[in-house]
Amino acid sequence: MIKYNFFTIFAKAILTELAHLNILYRRMEKDLFFQHLFKQHYEPLFLFARQMVSSEEECHDIVSDAFEEVWSKMEYVKEQTVRAYLYTTVRNRCINYLRHQQVRQQYISYCEKITATYTKPDDLIEQTERDRLVERAISELKPPTDVAIKLYANGKKYREIAEEMNLTMSYVKKIISRGVAQIKEYIVKNV
């Protein structure tokens, strides 16, 4: 009986060792297959990516990421379809990169458009000088025109100004029109 247990234990140990060797062999097979796959397809995949993306660095990253994805899914990817899988992955990653670049470019254009008046120092100085000139012109206006112009410049409507100043709306329109004309005249004289 002791002999039987010894042989059983020995047989189990041999089977376990064979299983480990089989796993090791599959890993080596996987490594060799992947190395072959990488050597055979990296350059064509890179050239394929370059047709869509102009940056060489980005193309290298895209192709490397595709191989990384294949490596991580090696158990599920069939040897017969791995080439198609790689090309599809590279194509999709190129499209994603281009979409990201398009969104990035739209954002840059948007930021440039918003900050266009503030980006050039000369324009900013000019705008500041114009603002000061307008403020001086408004300070030269007589009441109630000066108050009406300030309220109008702050976004109030004729009706709101009329209510706030206890004036008729037609009179508010008249004094604002006169005030704007006086401001233009002042600017022309002082430029």
Side-chain angles (χ1 to χ4, degrees), residues 59-116:
C59 289
H60 284 294
D61 289 346
I62 287 168
V63 173
S64 296
D65 290 346
F67 274 105
E68 185 178 329
E69 185 175 323
V70 166
W71 176 257
S72 69
K73 296 179 179 180
M74 203 64 171
E75 301 87 44
Y76 310 109
V77 177
K78 295 178 184 172
E79 192 173 329
Q80 299 83 358
T81 61
V82 72
R83 183 176 182 272
Y85 185 85
L86 277 167
Y87 274 89
T88 302
T89 302
V90 168
R91 183 196 57 162
N92 291 342
R93 288 180 181 270
C94 286
I95 290 169
N96 288 343
Y97 170 78
L98 293 172
R99 282 184 187 145
H100 177 74
Q101 288 303 105
Q102 184 179 14
V103 168
R104 186 171 175 262
Q105 188 58 45
Q106 287 172 349
Y107 179 73
I108 289 170
S109 296
Y110 172 74
C111 289
E112 286 174 348
K113 191 165 79 173
I114 286 178
T115 60

Side-chain angles (χ1 to χ4, degrees), residues 137-171:
I138 292 172
S139 69
E140 297 280 324
L141 297 174
K142 295 180 182 167
T145 307
D146 62 340
V147 176
I149 289 286
K150 287 177 186 175
L151 292 172
Y152 187 71
N154 287 328
K156 296 230 178 181
K157 297 185 176 14
Y158 293 129
R159 183 184 39 77
E160 295 170 326
I161 297 168
E163 288 172 5
E164 194 172 315
M165 295 180 68
N166 266 344
L167 301 171
T168 64
M169 201 162 75
S170 62
Y171 184 67

